[in-house]
Amino acid sequence: GLAGVAAAAYYFLTKKIPAQPGTYLLTVQVEGGSGDQVTVEIENVSGSYTATEGSPVQVKVPAGAQVTLYAQPAQGDVFSSWEGVPSS
């Protein structure tokens, strides 16, 4: 979730989706304060998707695609951790 003191930087996480046939449904939910957000970018998919507190986003990710999540805490908040992200 996002919570805490003060930060202005983006925090990001990049993961590679397994190269199996089909697509995967990725759900991103922000827990923290108002104004915190996470932006999702997917390799070979134009545009980005943004989740905010109370407004999760679901994205279809092609198999084998690289997914990057960018956390941007609101002013006065700080990023604390990613949860539910596989280690491989």
Side-chain angles (χ1 to χ4, degrees), residues 1-5 9 11 29-38 51-53 70-74 77-83:
L2 305 174
V5 192
Y11 296 84
Q29 180 174 329
V30 176
E31 294 180 2
S34 177
D36 297 334
Q37 64 183 32
V38 174
T52 58
E53 174 72 25
Y70 297 92
Q72 184 178 22
D77 285 356
V78 66
F79 175 77
S80 63
S81 66
W82 299 106
E83 295 179 12

mmCIF file with all atom_site columns, all heavy atoms in Angstrom, residues 1-5 9 11 29-38 51-53 70-74 77-83:
data_model
loop_
_atom_site.group_PDB
_atom_site.id
_atom_site.type_symbol
_atom_site.label_atom_id
_atom_site.label_alt_id
_atom_site.label_comp_id
_atom_site.label_asym_id
_atom_site.label_entity_id
_atom_site.label_seq_id
_atom_site.pdbx_PDB_ins_code
_atom_site.Cartn_x
_atom_site.Cartn_y
_atom_site.Cartn_z
_atom_site.occupancy
_atom_site.B_iso_or_equiv
_atom_site.pdbx_formal_charge
_atom_site.auth_seq_id
_atom_site.auth_comp_id
_atom_site.auth_asym_id
_atom_site.auth_atom_id
_atom_site.pdbx_PDB_model_num
ATOM 1   N N   . GLY A 1 1  ? 0.815  -1.187 0.000   1.00 0.00 ? 1  GLY A N   1
ATOM 2   C CA  . GLY A 1 1  ? 0.000  0.000  0.000   1.00 0.00 ? 1  GLY A CA  1
ATOM 3   C C   . GLY A 1 1  ? 0.853  1.243  0.000   1.00 0.00 ? 1  GLY A C   1
ATOM 4   O O   . GLY A 1 1  ? 2.066  1.192  0.094   1.00 0.00 ? 1  GLY A O   1
ATOM 5   N N   . LEU A 1 2  ? 0.227  2.378  -0.105  1.00 0.00 ? 2  LEU A N   1
ATOM 6   C CA  . LEU A 1 2  ? 0.902  3.664  -0.048  1.00 0.00 ? 2  LEU A CA  1
ATOM 7   C C   . LEU A 1 2  ? 0.462  4.341  1.240   1.00 0.00 ? 2  LEU A C   1
ATOM 8   O O   . LEU A 1 2  ? -0.700 4.481  1.509   1.00 0.00 ? 2  LEU A O   1
ATOM 9   C CB  . LEU A 1 2  ? 0.509  4.539  -1.241  1.00 0.00 ? 2  LEU A CB  1
ATOM 10  C CG  . LEU A 1 2  ? 0.725  3.953  -2.624  1.00 0.00 ? 2  LEU A CG  1
ATOM 11  C CD1 . LEU A 1 2  ? 0.164  4.881  -3.684  1.00 0.00 ? 2  LEU A CD1 1
ATOM 12  C CD2 . LEU A 1 2  ? 2.199  3.732  -2.889  1.00 0.00 ? 2  LEU A CD2 1
ATOM 13  N N   . ALA A 1 3  ? 1.411  4.778  2.035   1.00 0.00 ? 3  ALA A N   1
ATOM 14  C CA  . ALA A 1 3  ? 1.067  5.454  3.284   1.00 0.00 ? 3  ALA A CA  1
ATOM 15  C C   . ALA A 1 3  ? 2.320  6.063  3.874   1.00 0.00 ? 3  ALA A C   1
ATOM 16  O O   . ALA A 1 3  ? 3.422  5.656  3.538   1.00 0.00 ? 3  ALA A O   1
ATOM 17  C CB  . ALA A 1 3  ? 0.463  4.460  4.274   1.00 0.00 ? 3  ALA A CB  1
ATOM 18  N N   . GLY A 1 4  ? 2.180  7.057  4.731   1.00 0.00 ? 4  GLY A N   1
ATOM 19  C CA  . GLY A 1 4  ? 3.345  7.516  5.454   1.00 0.00 ? 4  GLY A CA  1
ATOM 20  C C   . GLY A 1 4  ? 3.646  8.988  5.415   1.00 0.00 ? 4  GLY A C   1
ATOM 21  O O   . GLY A 1 4  ? 2.773  9.806  5.509   1.00 0.00 ? 4  GLY A O   1
ATOM 22  N N   . VAL A 1 5  ? 4.919  9.343  5.228   1.00 0.00 ? 5  VAL A N   1
ATOM 23  C CA  . VAL A 1 5  ? 5.423  10.679 5.461   1.00 0.00 ? 5  VAL A CA  1
ATOM 24  C C   . VAL A 1 5  ? 5.465  11.514 4.179   1.00 0.00 ? 5  VAL A C   1
ATOM 25  O O   . VAL A 1 5  ? 4.447  11.958 3.721   1.00 0.00 ? 5  VAL A O   1
ATOM 26  C CB  . VAL A 1 5  ? 6.821  10.598 6.125   1.00 0.00 ? 5  VAL A CB  1
ATOM 27  C CG1 . VAL A 1 5  ? 7.243  11.956 6.636   1.00 0.00 ? 5  VAL A CG1 1
ATOM 28  C CG2 . VAL A 1 5  ? 6.802  9.609  7.276   1.00 0.00 ? 5  VAL A CG2 1
ATOM 29  N N   . ALA A 1 9  ? 8.886  11.102 -5.485  1.00 0.00 ? 9  ALA A N   1
ATOM 30  C CA  . ALA A 1 9  ? 9.418  10.246 -6.552  1.00 0.00 ? 9  ALA A CA  1
ATOM 31  C C   . ALA A 1 9  ? 8.437  9.151  -6.931  1.00 0.00 ? 9  ALA A C   1
ATOM 32  O O   . ALA A 1 9  ? 7.543  8.812  -6.174  1.00 0.00 ? 9  ALA A O   1
ATOM 33  C CB  . ALA A 1 9  ? 10.731 9.623  -6.102  1.00 0.00 ? 9  ALA A CB  1
ATOM 34  N N   . TYR A 1 11 ? 7.965  5.184  -7.634  1.00 0.00 ? 11 TYR A N   1
ATOM 35  C CA  . TYR A 1 11 ? 8.548  3.902  -7.265  1.00 0.00 ? 11 TYR A CA  1
ATOM 36  C C   . TYR A 1 11 ? 8.032  2.919  -8.300  1.00 0.00 ? 11 TYR A C   1
ATOM 37  O O   . TYR A 1 11 ? 6.855  2.947  -8.632  1.00 0.00 ? 11 TYR A O   1
ATOM 38  C CB  . TYR A 1 11 ? 8.111  3.488  -5.859  1.00 0.00 ? 11 TYR A CB  1
ATOM 39  C CG  . TYR A 1 11 ? 8.617  4.430  -4.812  1.00 0.00 ? 11 TYR A CG  1
ATOM 40  C CD1 . TYR A 1 11 ? 7.931  5.594  -4.519  1.00 0.00 ? 11 TYR A CD1 1
ATOM 41  C CD2 . TYR A 1 11 ? 9.805  4.170  -4.138  1.00 0.00 ? 11 TYR A CD2 1
ATOM 42  C CE1 . TYR A 1 11 ? 8.407  6.486  -3.568  1.00 0.00 ? 11 TYR A CE1 1
ATOM 43  C CE2 . TYR A 1 11 ? 10.284 5.053  -3.183  1.00 0.00 ? 11 TYR A CE2 1
ATOM 44  C CZ  . TYR A 1 11 ? 9.582  6.211  -2.910  1.00 0.00 ? 11 TYR A CZ  1
ATOM 45  O OH  . TYR A 1 11 ? 10.050 7.083  -1.967  1.00 0.00 ? 11 TYR A OH  1
ATOM 46  N N   . GLN A 1 29 ? -4.745 -2.524 -7.253  1.00 0.00 ? 29 GLN A N   1
ATOM 47  C CA  . GLN A 1 29 ? -5.554 -1.805 -6.268  1.00 0.00 ? 29 GLN A CA  1
ATOM 48  C C   . GLN A 1 29 ? -4.633 -0.983 -5.380  1.00 0.00 ? 29 GLN A C   1
ATOM 49  O O   . GLN A 1 29 ? -3.599 -1.476 -4.937  1.00 0.00 ? 29 GLN A O   1
ATOM 50  C CB  . GLN A 1 29 ? -6.343 -2.812 -5.431  1.00 0.00 ? 29 GLN A CB  1
ATOM 51  C CG  . GLN A 1 29 ? -7.212 -2.183 -4.386  1.00 0.00 ? 29 GLN A CG  1
ATOM 52  C CD  . GLN A 1 29 ? -8.079 -3.212 -3.679  1.00 0.00 ? 29 GLN A CD  1
ATOM 53  O OE1 . GLN A 1 29 ? -8.476 -4.218 -4.268  1.00 0.00 ? 29 GLN A OE1 1
ATOM 54  N NE2 . GLN A 1 29 ? -8.362 -2.964 -2.420  1.00 0.00 ? 29 GLN A NE2 1
ATOM 55  N N   . VAL A 1 30 ? -5.009 0.261  -5.121  1.00 0.00 ? 30 VAL A N   1
ATOM 56  C CA  . VAL A 1 30 ? -4.212 1.154  -4.288  1.00 0.00 ? 30 VAL A CA  1
ATOM 57  C C   . VAL A 1 30 ? -4.847 1.233  -2.907  1.00 0.00 ? 30 VAL A C   1
ATOM 58  O O   . VAL A 1 30 ? -6.052 1.464  -2.776  1.00 0.00 ? 30 VAL A O   1
ATOM 59  C CB  . VAL A 1 30 ? -4.146 2.570  -4.902  1.00 0.00 ? 30 VAL A CB  1
ATOM 60  C CG1 . VAL A 1 30 ? -3.389 3.521  -3.986  1.00 0.00 ? 30 VAL A CG1 1
ATOM 61  C CG2 . VAL A 1 30 ? -3.488 2.520  -6.272  1.00 0.00 ? 30 VAL A CG2 1
ATOM 62  N N   . GLU A 1 31 ? -4.030 1.003  -1.876  1.00 0.00 ? 31 GLU A N   1
ATOM 63  C CA  . GLU A 1 31 ? -4.488 1.159  -0.498  1.00 0.00 ? 31 GLU A CA  1
ATOM 64  C C   . GLU A 1 31 ? -3.635 2.231  0.145   1.00 0.00 ? 31 GLU A C   1
ATOM 65  O O   . GLU A 1 31 ? -2.416 2.145  0.137   1.00 0.00 ? 31 GLU A O   1
ATOM 66  C CB  . GLU A 1 31 ? -4.357 -0.160 0.262   1.00 0.00 ? 31 GLU A CB  1
ATOM 67  C CG  . GLU A 1 31 ? -5.266 -1.242 -0.260  1.00 0.00 ? 31 GLU A CG  1
ATOM 68  C CD  . GLU A 1 31 ? -5.123 -2.546 0.488   1.00 0.00 ? 31 GLU A CD  1
ATOM 69  O OE1 . GLU A 1 31 ? -4.342 -2.612 1.451   1.00 0.00 ? 31 GLU A OE1 1
ATOM 70  O OE2 . GLU A 1 31 ? -5.794 -3.509 0.090   1.00 0.00 ? 31 GLU A OE2 1
ATOM 71  N N   . GLY A 1 32 ? -4.251 3.233  0.655   1.00 0.00 ? 32 GLY A N   1
ATOM 72  C CA  . GLY A 1 32 ? -3.511 4.338  1.253   1.00 0.00 ? 32 GLY A CA  1
ATOM 73  C C   . GLY A 1 32 ? -4.423 5.532  1.368   1.00 0.00 ? 32 GLY A C   1
ATOM 74  O O   . GLY A 1 32 ? -5.560 5.413  1.756   1.00 0.00 ? 32 GLY A O   1
ATOM 75  N N   . GLY A 1 33 ? -3.899 6.662  0.955   1.00 0.00 ? 33 GLY A N   1
ATOM 76  C CA  . GLY A 1 33 ? -4.668 7.895  1.074   1.00 0.00 ? 33 GLY A CA  1
ATOM 77  C C   . GLY A 1 33 ? -5.163 8.400  -0.263  1.00 0.00 ? 33 GLY A C   1
ATOM 78  O O   . GLY A 1 33 ? -4.791 7.908  -1.317  1.00 0.00 ? 33 GLY A O   1
ATOM 79  N N   . SER A 1 34 ? -6.001 9.394  -0.196  1.00 0.00 ? 34 SER A N   1
ATOM 80  C CA  . SER A 1 34 ? -6.523 10.033 -1.393  1.00 0.00 ? 34 SER A CA  1
ATOM 81  C C   . SER A 1 34 ? -5.384 10.683 -2.165  1.00 0.00 ? 34 SER A C   1
ATOM 82  O O   . SER A 1 34 ? -4.507 11.319 -1.597  1.00 0.00 ? 34 SER A O   1
ATOM 83  C CB  . SER A 1 34 ? -7.551 11.091 -0.981  1.00 0.00 ? 34 SER A CB  1
ATOM 84  O OG  . SER A 1 34 ? -8.014 11.766 -2.117  1.00 0.00 ? 34 SER A OG  1
ATOM 85  N N   . GLY A 1 35 ? -5.367 10.485 -3.470  1.00 0.00 ? 35 GLY A N   1
ATOM 86  C CA  . GLY A 1 35 ? -4.326 11.083 -4.305  1.00 0.00 ? 35 GLY A CA  1
ATOM 87  C C   . GLY A 1 35 ? -3.187 10.141 -4.634  1.00 0.00 ? 35 GLY A C   1
ATOM 88  O O   . GLY A 1 35 ? -2.400 10.407 -5.530  1.00 0.00 ? 35 GLY A O   1
ATOM 89  N N   . ASP A 1 36 ? -3.065 9.013  -3.914  1.00 0.00 ? 36 ASP A N   1
ATOM 90  C CA  . ASP A 1 36 ? -2.054 8.008  -4.252  1.00 0.00 ? 36 ASP A CA  1
ATOM 91  C C   . ASP A 1 36 ? -2.495 7.309  -5.533  1.00 0.00 ? 36 ASP A C   1
ATOM 92  O O   . ASP A 1 36 ? -3.687 7.102  -5.753  1.00 0.00 ? 36 ASP A O   1
ATOM 93  C CB  . ASP A 1 36 ? -1.919 6.961  -3.144  1.00 0.00 ? 36 ASP A CB  1
ATOM 94  C CG  . ASP A 1 36 ? -1.429 7.544  -1.824  1.00 0.00 ? 36 ASP A CG  1
ATOM 95  O OD1 . ASP A 1 36 ? -0.741 8.577  -1.853  1.00 0.00 ? 36 ASP A OD1 1
ATOM 96  O OD2 . ASP A 1 36 ? -1.736 6.958  -0.775  1.00 0.00 ? 36 ASP A OD2 1
ATOM 97  N N   . GLN A 1 37 ? -1.535 6.963  -6.395  1.00 0.00 ? 37 GLN A N   1
ATOM 98  C CA  . GLN A 1 37 ? -1.915 6.264  -7.616  1.00 0.00 ? 37 GLN A CA  1
ATOM 99  C C   . GLN A 1 37 ? -0.814 5.325  -8.093  1.00 0.00 ? 37 GLN A C   1
ATOM 100 O O   . GLN A 1 37 ? 0.348  5.499  -7.749  1.00 0.00 ? 37 GLN A O   1
ATOM 101 C CB  . GLN A 1 37 ? -2.281 7.232  -8.727  1.00 0.00 ? 37 GLN A CB  1
ATOM 102 C CG  . GLN A 1 37 ? -1.151 8.123  -9.195  1.00 0.00 ? 37 GLN A CG  1
ATOM 103 C CD  . GLN A 1 37 ? -1.606 9.108  -10.263 1.00 0.00 ? 37 GLN A CD  1
ATOM 104 O OE1 . GLN A 1 37 ? -2.757 9.549  -10.267 1.00 0.00 ? 37 GLN A OE1 1
ATOM 105 N NE2 . GLN A 1 37 ? -0.722 9.448  -11.173 1.00 0.00 ? 37 GLN A NE2 1
ATOM 106 N N   . VAL A 1 38 ? -1.221 4.318  -8.865  1.00 0.00 ? 38 VAL A N   1
ATOM 107 C CA  . VAL A 1 38 ? -0.292 3.396  -9.509  1.00 0.00 ? 38 VAL A CA  1
ATOM 108 C C   . VAL A 1 38 ? -0.647 3.367  -10.993 1.00 0.00 ? 38 VAL A C   1
ATOM 109 O O   . VAL A 1 38 ? -1.797 3.137  -11.363 1.00 0.00 ? 38 VAL A O   1
ATOM 110 C CB  . VAL A 1 38 ? -0.381 1.973  -8.912  1.00 0.00 ? 38 VAL A CB  1
ATOM 111 C CG1 . VAL A 1 38 ? 0.490  1.008  -9.710  1.00 0.00 ? 38 VAL A CG1 1
ATOM 112 C CG2 . VAL A 1 38 ? 0.043  1.977  -7.453  1.00 0.00 ? 38 VAL A CG2 1
ATOM 113 N N   . ALA A 1 51 ? -4.584 3.273  -11.492 1.00 0.00 ? 51 ALA A N   1
ATOM 114 C CA  . ALA A 1 51 ? -5.441 2.903  -10.365 1.00 0.00 ? 51 ALA A CA  1
ATOM 115 C C   . ALA A 1 51 ? -5.257 3.938  -9.266  1.00 0.00 ? 51 ALA A C   1
ATOM 116 O O   . ALA A 1 51 ? -4.147 4.419  -9.033  1.00 0.00 ? 51 ALA A O   1
ATOM 117 C CB  . ALA A 1 51 ? -5.058 1.524  -9.836  1.00 0.00 ? 51 ALA A CB  1
ATOM 118 N N   . THR A 1 52 ? -6.350 4.295  -8.602  1.00 0.00 ? 52 THR A N   1
ATOM 119 C CA  . THR A 1 52 ? -6.299 5.218  -7.471  1.00 0.00 ? 52 THR A CA  1
ATOM 120 C C   . THR A 1 52 ? -7.048 4.597  -6.299  1.00 0.00 ? 52 THR A C   1
ATOM 121 O O   . THR A 1 52 ? -7.740 3.586  -6.450  1.00 0.00 ? 52 THR A O   1
ATOM 122 C CB  . THR A 1 52 ? -6.939 6.580  -7.832  1.00 0.00 ? 52 THR A CB  1
ATOM 123 O OG1 . THR A 1 52 ? -8.291 6.357  -8.235  1.00 0.00 ? 52 THR A OG1 1
ATOM 124 C CG2 . THR A 1 52 ? -6.172 7.281  -8.938  1.00 0.00 ? 52 THR A CG2 1
ATOM 125 N N   . GLU A 1 53 ? -6.926 5.206  -5.131  1.00 0.00 ? 53 GLU A N   1
ATOM 126 C CA  . GLU A 1 53 ? -7.633 4.724  -3.944  1.00 0.00 ? 53 GLU A CA  1
ATOM 127 C C   . GLU A 1 53 ? -9.127 4.632  -4.257  1.00 0.00 ? 53 GLU A C   1
ATOM 128 O O   . GLU A 1 53 ? -9.738 5.605  -4.697  1.00 0.00 ? 53 GLU A O   1
ATOM 129 C CB  . GLU A 1 53 ? -7.395 5.685  -2.780  1.00 0.00 ? 53 GLU A CB  1
ATOM 130 C CG  . GLU A 1 53 ? -8.183 5.369  -1.521  1.00 0.00 ? 53 GLU A CG  1
ATOM 131 C CD  . GLU A 1 53 ? -7.690 4.130  -0.781  1.00 0.00 ? 53 GLU A CD  1
ATOM 132 O OE1 . GLU A 1 53 ? -6.516 3.769  -0.919  1.00 0.00 ? 53 GLU A OE1 1
ATOM 133 O OE2 . GLU A 1 53 ? -8.489 3.533  -0.048  1.00 0.00 ? 53 GLU A OE2 1
ATOM 134 N N   . TYR A 1 70 ? 4.129  1.808  -11.770 1.00 0.00 ? 70 TYR A N   1
ATOM 135 C CA  . TYR A 1 70 ? 4.727  3.010  -11.203 1.00 0.00 ? 70 TYR A CA  1
ATOM 136 C C   . TYR A 1 70 ? 3.836  3.512  -10.073 1.00 0.00 ? 70 TYR A C   1
ATOM 137 O O   . TYR A 1 70 ? 2.672  3.834  -10.302 1.00 0.00 ? 70 TYR A O   1
ATOM 138 C CB  . TYR A 1 70 ? 4.831  4.125  -12.246 1.00 0.00 ? 70 TYR A CB  1
ATOM 139 C CG  . TYR A 1 70 ? 5.730  3.810  -13.414 1.00 0.00 ? 70 TYR A CG  1
ATOM 140 C CD1 . TYR A 1 70 ? 5.216  3.240  -14.573 1.00 0.00 ? 70 TYR A CD1 1
ATOM 141 C CD2 . TYR A 1 70 ? 7.090  4.093  -13.354 1.00 0.00 ? 70 TYR A CD2 1
ATOM 142 C CE1 . TYR A 1 70 ? 6.040  2.961  -15.651 1.00 0.00 ? 70 TYR A CE1 1
ATOM 143 C CE2 . TYR A 1 70 ? 7.921  3.810  -14.431 1.00 0.00 ? 70 TYR A CE2 1
ATOM 144 C CZ  . TYR A 1 70 ? 7.380  3.253  -15.570 1.00 0.00 ? 70 TYR A CZ  1
ATOM 145 O OH  . TYR A 1 70 ? 8.202  2.977  -16.636 1.00 0.00 ? 70 TYR A OH  1
ATOM 146 N N   . ALA A 1 71 ? 4.365  3.560  -8.858  1.00 0.00 ? 71 ALA A N   1
ATOM 147 C CA  . ALA A 1 71 ? 3.606  4.082  -7.716  1.00 0.00 ? 71 ALA A CA  1
ATOM 148 C C   . ALA A 1 71 ? 3.970  5.549  -7.523  1.00 0.00 ? 71 ALA A C   1
ATOM 149 O O   . ALA A 1 71 ? 5.143  5.899  -7.469  1.00 0.00 ? 71 ALA A O   1
ATOM 150 C CB  . ALA A 1 71 ? 3.938  3.296  -6.453  1.00 0.00 ? 71 ALA A CB  1
ATOM 151 N N   . GLN A 1 72 ? 2.955  6.401  -7.432  1.00 0.00 ? 72 GLN A N   1
ATOM 152 C CA  . GLN A 1 72 ? 3.193  7.810  -7.169  1.00 0.00 ? 72 GLN A CA  1
ATOM 153 C C   . GLN A 1 72 ? 2.379  8.221  -5.944  1.00 0.00 ? 72 GLN A C   1
ATOM 154 O O   . GLN A 1 72 ? 1.169  8.410  -6.027  1.00 0.00 ? 72 GLN A O   1
ATOM 155 C CB  . GLN A 1 72 ? 2.805  8.686  -8.357  1.00 0.00 ? 72 GLN A CB  1
ATOM 156 C CG  . GLN A 1 72 ? 3.145  10.145 -8.110  1.00 0.00 ? 72 GLN A CG  1
ATOM 157 C CD  . GLN A 1 72 ? 2.814  11.024 -9.297  1.00 0.00 ? 72 GLN A CD  1
ATOM 158 O OE1 . GLN A 1 72 ? 2.000  10.677 -10.140 1.00 0.00 ? 72 GLN A OE1 1
ATOM 159 N NE2 . GLN A 1 72 ? 3.456  12.167 -9.368  1.00 0.00 ? 72 GLN A NE2 1
ATOM 160 N N   . PRO A 1 73 ? 3.057  8.347  -4.805  1.00 0.00 ? 73 PRO A N   1
ATOM 161 C CA  . PRO A 1 73 ? 2.353  8.777  -3.593  1.00 0.00 ? 73 PRO A CA  1
ATOM 162 C C   . PRO A 1 73 ? 1.899  10.229 -3.721  1.00 0.00 ? 73 PRO A C   1
ATOM 163 O O   . PRO A 1 73 ? 2.555  11.034 -4.381  1.00 0.00 ? 73 PRO A O   1
ATOM 164 C CB  . PRO A 1 73 ? 3.401  8.644  -2.495  1.00 0.00 ? 73 PRO A CB  1
ATOM 165 C CG  . PRO A 1 73 ? 4.522  7.848  -3.087  1.00 0.00 ? 73 PRO A CG  1
ATOM 166 C CD  . PRO A 1 73 ? 4.464  8.068  -4.554  1.00 0.00 ? 73 PRO A CD  1
ATOM 167 N N   . ALA A 1 74 ? 0.797  10.538 -3.087  1.00 0.00 ? 74 ALA A N   1
ATOM 168 C CA  . ALA A 1 74 ? 0.347  11.925 -3.013  1.00 0.00 ? 74 ALA A CA  1
ATOM 169 C C   . ALA A 1 74 ? 1.318  12.709 -2.136  1.00 0.00 ? 74 ALA A C   1
ATOM 170 O O   . ALA A 1 74 ? 2.077  12.127 -1.348  1.00 0.00 ? 74 ALA A O   1
ATOM 171 C CB  . ALA A 1 74 ? -1.057 11.984 -2.419  1.00 0.00 ? 74 ALA A CB  1
ATOM 172 N N   . ASP A 1 77 ? 2.622  11.685 1.445   1.00 0.00 ? 77 ASP A N   1
ATOM 173 C CA  . ASP A 1 77 ? 2.623  10.232 1.615   1.00 0.00 ? 77 ASP A CA  1
ATOM 174 C C   . ASP A 1 77 ? 3.950  9.664  1.119   1.00 0.00 ? 77 ASP A C   1
ATOM 175 O O   . ASP A 1 77 ? 4.703  10.337 0.414   1.00 0.00 ? 77 ASP A O   1
ATOM 176 C CB  . ASP A 1 77 ? 1.491  9.574  0.818   1.00 0.00 ? 77 ASP A CB  1
ATOM 177 C CG  . ASP A 1 77 ? 0.125  9.780  1.457   1.00 0.00 ? 77 ASP A CG  1
ATOM 178 O OD1 . ASP A 1 77 ? 0.068  10.367 2.556   1.00 0.00 ? 77 ASP A OD1 1
ATOM 179 O OD2 . ASP A 1 77 ? -0.869 9.363  0.850   1.00 0.00 ? 77 ASP A OD2 1
ATOM 180 N N   . VAL A 1 78 ? 4.218  8.412  1.458   1.00 0.00 ? 78 VAL A N   1
ATOM 181 C CA  . VAL A 1 78 ? 5.415  7.727  0.975   1.00 0.00 ? 78 VAL A CA  1
ATOM 182 C C   . VAL A 1 78 ? 5.022  6.304  0.602   1.00 0.00 ? 78 VAL A C   1
ATOM 183 O O   . VAL A 1 78 ? 4.149  5.704  1.239   1.00 0.00 ? 78 VAL A O   1
ATOM 184 C CB  . VAL A 1 78 ? 6.551  7.736  2.028   1.00 0.00 ? 78 VAL A CB  1
ATOM 185 C CG1 . VAL A 1 78 ? 6.179  6.929  3.256   1.00 0.00 ? 78 VAL A CG1 1
ATOM 186 C CG2 . VAL A 1 78 ? 7.847  7.260  1.441   1.00 0.00 ? 78 VAL A CG2 1
ATOM 187 N N   . PHE A 1 79 ? 5.642  5.775  -0.445  1.00 0.00 ? 79 PHE A N   1
ATOM 188 C CA  . PHE A 1 79 ? 5.375  4.399  -0.861  1.00 0.00 ? 79 PHE A CA  1
ATOM 189 C C   . PHE A 1 79 ? 5.939  3.448  0.185   1.00 0.00 ? 79 PHE A C   1
ATOM 190 O O   . PHE A 1 79 ? 7.069  3.618  0.627   1.00 0.00 ? 79 PHE A O   1
ATOM 191 C CB  . PHE A 1 79 ? 6.026  4.142  -2.221  1.00 0.00 ? 79 PHE A CB  1
ATOM 192 C CG  . PHE A 1 79 ? 5.914  2.724  -2.672  1.00 0.00 ? 79 PHE A CG  1
ATOM 193 C CD1 . PHE A 1 79 ? 4.728  2.240  -3.176  1.00 0.00 ? 79 PHE A CD1 1
ATOM 194 C CD2 . PHE A 1 79 ? 6.995  1.862  -2.574  1.00 0.00 ? 79 PHE A CD2 1
ATOM 195 C CE1 . PHE A 1 79 ? 4.621  0.920  -3.584  1.00 0.00 ? 79 PHE A CE1 1
ATOM 196 C CE2 . PHE A 1 79 ? 6.894  0.546  -2.978  1.00 0.00 ? 79 PHE A CE2 1
ATOM 197 C CZ  . PHE A 1 79 ? 5.708  0.081  -3.479  1.00 0.00 ? 79 PHE A CZ  1
ATOM 198 N N   . SER A 1 80 ? 5.156  2.401  0.544   1.00 0.00 ? 80 SER A N   1
ATOM 199 C CA  . SER A 1 80 ? 5.658  1.465  1.555   1.00 0.00 ? 80 SER A CA  1
ATOM 200 C C   . SER A 1 80 ? 6.031  0.112  0.960   1.00 0.00 ? 80 SER A C   1
ATOM 201 O O   . SER A 1 80 ? 7.105  -0.399 1.263   1.00 0.00 ? 80 SER A O   1
ATOM 202 C CB  . SER A 1 80 ? 4.655  1.289  2.698   1.00 0.00 ? 80 SER A CB  1
ATOM 203 O OG  . SER A 1 80 ? 3.458  0.729  2.224   1.00 0.00 ? 80 SER A OG  1
ATOM 204 N N   . SER A 1 81 ? 5.175  -0.500 0.121   1.00 0.00 ? 81 SER A N   1
ATOM 205 C CA  . SER A 1 81 ? 5.523  -1.813 -0.420  1.00 0.00 ? 81 SER A CA  1
ATOM 206 C C   . SER A 1 81 ? 4.549  -2.250 -1.506  1.00 0.00 ? 81 SER A C   1
ATOM 207 O O   . SER A 1 81 ? 3.445  -1.724 -1.616  1.00 0.00 ? 81 SER A O   1
ATOM 208 C CB  . SER A 1 81 ? 5.528  -2.864 0.687   1.00 0.00 ? 81 SER A CB  1
ATOM 209 O OG  . SER A 1 81 ? 4.211  -3.042 1.187   1.00 0.00 ? 81 SER A OG  1
ATOM 210 N N   . TRP A 1 82 ? 4.997  -3.250 -2.289  1.00 0.00 ? 82 TRP A N   1
ATOM 211 C CA  . TRP A 1 82 ? 4.127  -3.958 -3.219  1.00 0.00 ? 82 TRP A CA  1
ATOM 212 C C   . TRP A 1 82 ? 3.651  -5.196 -2.498  1.00 0.00 ? 82 TRP A C   1
ATOM 213 O O   . TRP A 1 82 ? 4.408  -5.846 -1.809  1.00 0.00 ? 82 TRP A O   1
ATOM 214 C CB  . TRP A 1 82 ? 4.894  -4.378 -4.480  1.00 0.00 ? 82 TRP A CB  1
ATOM 215 C CG  . TRP A 1 82 ? 5.469  -3.253 -5.266  1.00 0.00 ? 82 TRP A CG  1
ATOM 216 C CD1 . TRP A 1 82 ? 6.779  -2.901 -5.329  1.00 0.00 ? 82 TRP A CD1 1
ATOM 217 C CD2 . TRP A 1 82 ? 4.765  -2.340 -6.118  1.00 0.00 ? 82 TRP A CD2 1
ATOM 218 N NE1 . TRP A 1 82 ? 6.937  -1.826 -6.169  1.00 0.00 ? 82 TRP A NE1 1
ATOM 219 C CE2 . TRP A 1 82 ? 5.707  -1.460 -6.667  1.00 0.00 ? 82 TRP A CE2 1
ATOM 220 C CE3 . TRP A 1 82 ? 3.422  -2.190 -6.459  1.00 0.00 ? 82 TRP A CE3 1
ATOM 221 C CZ2 . TRP A 1 82 ? 5.365  -0.442 -7.544  1.00 0.00 ? 82 TRP A CZ2 1
ATOM 222 C CZ3 . TRP A 1 82 ? 3.089  -1.169 -7.334  1.00 0.00 ? 82 TRP A CZ3 1
ATOM 223 C CH2 . TRP A 1 82 ? 4.035  -0.306 -7.876  1.00 0.00 ? 82 TRP A CH2 1
ATOM 224 N N   . GLU A 1 83 ? 2.381  -5.559 -2.670  1.00 0.00 ? 83 GLU A N   1
ATOM 225 C CA  . GLU A 1 83 ? 1.850  -6.771 -2.066  1.00 0.00 ? 83 GLU A CA  1
ATOM 226 C C   . GLU A 1 83 ? 1.216  -7.641 -3.136  1.00 0.00 ? 83 GLU A C   1
ATOM 227 O O   . GLU A 1 83 ? 0.630  -7.120 -4.085  1.00 0.00 ? 83 GLU A O   1
ATOM 228 C CB  . GLU A 1 83 ? 0.808  -6.432 -0.997  1.00 0.00 ? 83 GLU A CB  1
ATOM 229 C CG  . GLU A 1 83 ? 1.402  -5.686 0.186   1.00 0.00 ? 83 GLU A CG  1
ATOM 230 C CD  . GLU A 1 83 ? 0.359  -5.332 1.235   1.00 0.00 ? 83 GLU A CD  1
ATOM 231 O OE1 . GLU A 1 83 ? -0.771 -5.859 1.161   1.00 0.00 ? 83 GLU A OE1 1
ATOM 232 O OE2 . GLU A 1 83 ? 0.673  -4.522 2.101   1.00 0.00 ? 83 GLU A OE2 1
#
